[in-house]
Amino acid sequence: MRTTPAVREFTDDPLPDEVLYEILDDARFAPNGGNRQGWHVIVVRDRATKHRIAELYELGMREYAAYLRAGLVPFAASEASEGSGKSSRPAVDLEAARTIPSPGGFPDYMVDAPVLLVVTLDLTKVAAVDTGLGRLPLAAGASVYPFAHNILLAARARGFGGHFTTVLSRQEHELRTLLAIPDEQVLATMLPLGKPARSVKRLRRLAVEEFATLETAGGPRLTRPEASR
Ligand SMILES: Cc1cc2nc3c(=O)[nH]c(=O)nc-3n(C[C@H](O)[C@H](O)[C@H](O)COP(=O)(O)O)c2cc1C
């Protein structure tokens, strides 16, 4: 966990099916609601398909960048119309944003990555127990993201790496047609995987004291006990 960064640069090394199979063979032991295992993985190696996915991803990135330019949290979940009852009009002009290339440029590394894993979730199999609460439902995602993270951890254990993406969801409709994804399945994430071009960097995260409190949300902070210092 401390040495599994988001990897966005890959060497030319292949990621053979034997290794990929082992990665998924470990990842499948992820926890998930009711153990209904609603995930599906589409293994994309075809270069033309990877290129189209990278194009769709970059379109999503353009929209994401528009929020950043406006000084906003991109697609802030608190603003999502599904949950808040607020206007569904986005805070930025997404149509205009799509004409401005994203700051990172075209993600060539996705086309060159040995494999793109498109992870979908079958909504008929998962429970969204936090629906009807007047906010964005979150729980259904918990039935697929532990699995997706397991993929990154299992890849790391074998000398490979990759990263989560979610902005591709902006183009889910196009992706559905491209990969013949059935209606009941939705895109959870797309993971480019390959051999990392750089050695692991030190990951920067908040200290435990910054996010854990005792007994109530505003309670005293959990600190490292003296004995374990
Ligand atoms: C839900 C989620 C969505 C993400 N979406 C993207 C994405 O669309 N593109 C991308 O390059 N990285 C994406 N990431 C990777 C994050 O940028 C990365 O996990 C975070 O910056 C920490 O990076 P580090 O582990 O290298 O420190 C996503 C991560 C998560 C968990």
Side-chain angles (χ1 to χ4, degrees):
M1 286 180 261
R2 283 172 180 257
T3 63
T4 305
V7 177
R8 301 184 183 87
E9 278 177 86
F10 304 112
T11 66
D12 294 336
D13 291 290
L15 200 177
D17 272 348
E18 302 86 75
V19 180
L20 182 59
Y21 187 92
E22 280 182 24
I23 290 171
L24 296 178
D25 198 26
D26 282 348
R28 70 194 168 96
F29 290 96
N32 65 95
N35 204 17
R36 280 182 292 273
Q37 301 161 71
W39 52 70
H40 181 92
V41 177
I42 306 171
V43 179
V44 179
R45 292 191 186 274
D46 178 76
R47 195 168 175 85
T49 310
K50 286 190 292 182
H51 193 276
R52 182 62 185 142
I53 290 175
E55 277 179 350
L56 297 174
Y57 173 85
E58 207 257 338
L59 274 178
M61 275 313 237
R62 291 181 185 200
E63 296 182 346
Y64 190 90
Y67 280 90
L68 294 180
R69 276 197 300 274
L72 299 169
V73 173
F75 300 102
S78 56
E79 299 294 320
S81 56
E82 291 86 343
S84 63
K86 292 178 189 164
S87 142
S88 61
R89 203 153 48 93
V92 296
D93 185 345
L94 294 178
E95 212 162 309
R98 282 194 288 274
T99 63
I100 306 170
S102 63
F106 188 80
D108 289 299
Y109 75 92
M110 287 186 182
V111 187
D112 295 333
V115 65
L116 301 181
L117 297 186
V118 176
V119 181
T120 63
L121 181 65
D122 185 334
L123 293 186
T124 66
K125 290 190 177 164
V126 294
V129 292
D130 56 348
T131 41
L133 301 182
R135 62 157 174 83
L136 195 71
L138 200 61
S143 281
V144 65
Y145 292 117
F147 168 72
H149 191 221
N150 272 4
I151 294 176
L152 294 183
L153 292 171
R156 165 77 182 118
R158 291 167 176 84
F160 291 88
H163 69 87
F164 269 90
T165 65
T166 48
V167 298
L168 185 59
S169 296
R170 300 297 308 159
Q171 300 294 323
E172 185 181 77
H173 189 72
E174 294 290 322
L175 191 76
R176 192 175 284 291
T177 309
L178 182 70
L179 303 178
I181 299 172
D183 285 348
E184 66 277 12
Q185 288 178 33
V186 297
L187 176 65
T189 184
M190 184 275 290
L191 311 168
L193 286 188
K195 184 84 79 178
R198 296 162 193 259
S199 56
V200 172
K201 61 181 182 180
R202 196 182 162 88
L203 299 187
R204 289 180 27 208
R205 299 290 190 270
L206 297 175
V208 174
E209 289 78 353
E210 301 290 328
F211 60 81
T213 57
L214 301 175
E215 308 303 342
T216 65
R221 295 177 187 281
L222 174 65
T223 55
R224 193 190 295 275
E226 282 295 332
S228 64
R229 275 187 193 164

